[in-house]
Amino acid sequence: MKNKSVIKVGETVSIKERLSSLLAAGIFSLGCIFAPSIISNYIISLTYPDIISFNRLETFILAITPASTVYFIMFLHLSITGKNYLAKFKSILIYSLRLTFFGLVVAFIFNWHFTTVLDQHGYGTCWKRSLYSETLYIKDAEECKKRGTEVLRKPRLVYQQ
């Protein structure tokens, strides 16, 4: 039979667990630092400029904010006090996970709708440098060449201003 290490409520935790909780807190802090720039990028994109840089992964990162906030508070509490009080956070964690699931559904719908609207407005796309890099939506095919990539889909002149 395997010997499982179970941390009981109020039990003191090791230095390794405290350091891992501080790492989780650091990752959450970085997410908070970059969230305003991600949101402002989407707000600017809604004005339909000539070049739109869109990364689908960013919307999913914003969607997991409720759960990561609760985990951040839990791990910060664990690292400061050294005591595990998971039972106190259980109800809040359940609601944050439900909100996160709803956010992921909204992010999926937003990604689909936003790229469909860009296609309807005649934007073309450039080849991506990697799987996780942003997609460039362009109104002029020369922009791809300026950035050193090829045109994946040529822009169309749908709405002339």
Side-chain angles (χ1 to χ4, degrees):
M1 200 173 223
K2 292 183 180 179
N3 184 8
K4 293 185 178 179
S5 173
V6 178
I7 299 174
K8 296 178 182 173
V9 174
E11 183 178 313
T12 304
V13 294
S14 68
I15 297 294
K16 182 179 175 182
E17 290 166 332
R18 284 185 181 197
L19 289 176
S20 66
S21 67
L22 285 176
L23 177 65
I27 292 171
F28 174 76
S29 300
L30 287 175
C32 289
I33 291 170
F34 292 116
S37 65
I38 292 170
I39 293 170
S40 67
N41 187 23
Y42 289 138
I43 291 172
I44 290 170
S45 296
L46 294 175
T47 61
Y48 303 109
D50 290 340
I51 301 170
I52 296 175
S53 174
F54 182 68
N55 192 344
R56 293 173 188 252
L57 185 61
E58 289 177 349
T59 57
F60 292 111
I61 290 171
L62 288 176
I64 64 170
T65 301
S68 64
T69 303
V70 174
Y71 280 118
F72 170 73
I73 293 169
M74 286 172 42
F75 291 133
L76 190 63
H77 183 269
L78 175 76
S79 66
I80 292 172
T81 63
K83 307 266 186 206
N84 182 16
Y85 292 108
L86 183 60
K88 289 184 179 181
F89 293 104
K90 186 176 180 182
S91 63
I92 298 170
L93 184 61
I94 290 171
Y95 288 116
S96 68
L97 289 174
R98 289 177 182 167
L99 189 60
T100 299
F101 178 73
F102 176 73
L104 288 172
V105 171
V106 169
F108 179 75
I109 293 170
F110 174 78
N111 284 340
W112 172 77
H113 178 70
F114 187 65
T115 55
T116 303
V117 168
L118 290 177
D119 186 46
Q120 289 174 351
H121 278 84
Y123 281 87
T125 55
C126 299
W127 278 99
K128 294 169 58 169
R129 292 198 169 114
S130 72
L131 182 62
Y132 300 109
S133 66
E134 71 274 349
T135 303
L136 287 177
Y137 289 90
I138 49 147
K139 287 186 177 178
D140 184 18
E142 293 297 319
E143 288 296 326
C144 292
K145 294 176 184 169
K146 289 179 186 176
R147 297 173 188 272
T149 61
E150 296 294 321
V151 177
L152 178 63
R153 190 179 68 224
K154 290 185 177 181
R156 296 176 288 122
L157 295 175
V158 177
Y159 299 106
Q160 296 204 3
Q161 297 175 343

